[in-house]
Amino acid sequence: MKAKTGFALREICGEQIMVAEGKENIDYTNVISMNETSAFLWEKVSGKEFTIDDLVKLLVENYQNEDESPLDPNAVRADVEALVQKWLEAEIVEP
């Protein structure tokens, strides 16, 4: 998969919002708001090829806290799959 060009993540009024850049990407019917985790992933993969496994690895490595039990990669994978499906539906990534 690859994030489509012409989209940028911007902070607007404290919220992470996906902003379309260029006439070909303008769709005022679909505003894409991202939470901290999805914004983190977007920033890491923007402009690069990536897989679901890549996203799972990023989350497990970056949100692992030494004081807590390890993250369950299977639970993380289910969340990542749901997120990627939303990105595909919003047409901000290409399969």
Side-chain angles (χ1 to χ4, degrees):
M1 277 175 274
K2 186 172 184 179
K4 285 187 177 180
T5 58
F7 293 94
L9 190 60
R10 302 277 188 251
E11 184 172 335
I12 301 173
C13 297
E15 300 247 353
Q16 296 291 330
I17 305 293
M18 185 62 61
V19 178
E21 298 176 332
K23 289 187 264 184
E24 66 278 358
N25 291 325
I26 294 177
D27 178 1
Y28 295 108
T29 63
N30 191 15
V31 173
I32 302 163
S33 178
M34 293 195 181
N35 64 20
E36 180 182 332
T37 303
S38 60
F40 164 79
L41 289 174
W42 182 264
E43 289 174 347
K44 292 293 185 183
V45 301
S46 185
K48 301 174 187 171
E49 293 282 334
F50 66 92
T51 65
I52 288 177
D53 289 336
D54 294 332
L55 299 180
V56 170
K57 184 178 178 184
L58 281 167
L59 288 179
V60 169
E61 289 176 353
N62 287 282
Y63 284 93
Q64 188 61 48
N65 186 330
E66 293 178 14
D67 299 333
E68 297 178 13
S69 59
L71 294 175
D72 177 7
N74 292 326
V76 172
R77 183 177 190 80
D79 291 341
V80 166
E81 287 173 348
L83 175 64
V84 167
Q85 184 59 39
K86 289 179 182 177
W87 285 358
L88 287 166
E89 290 170 5
E91 299 181 354
I92 61 172
V93 296
E94 299 170 331

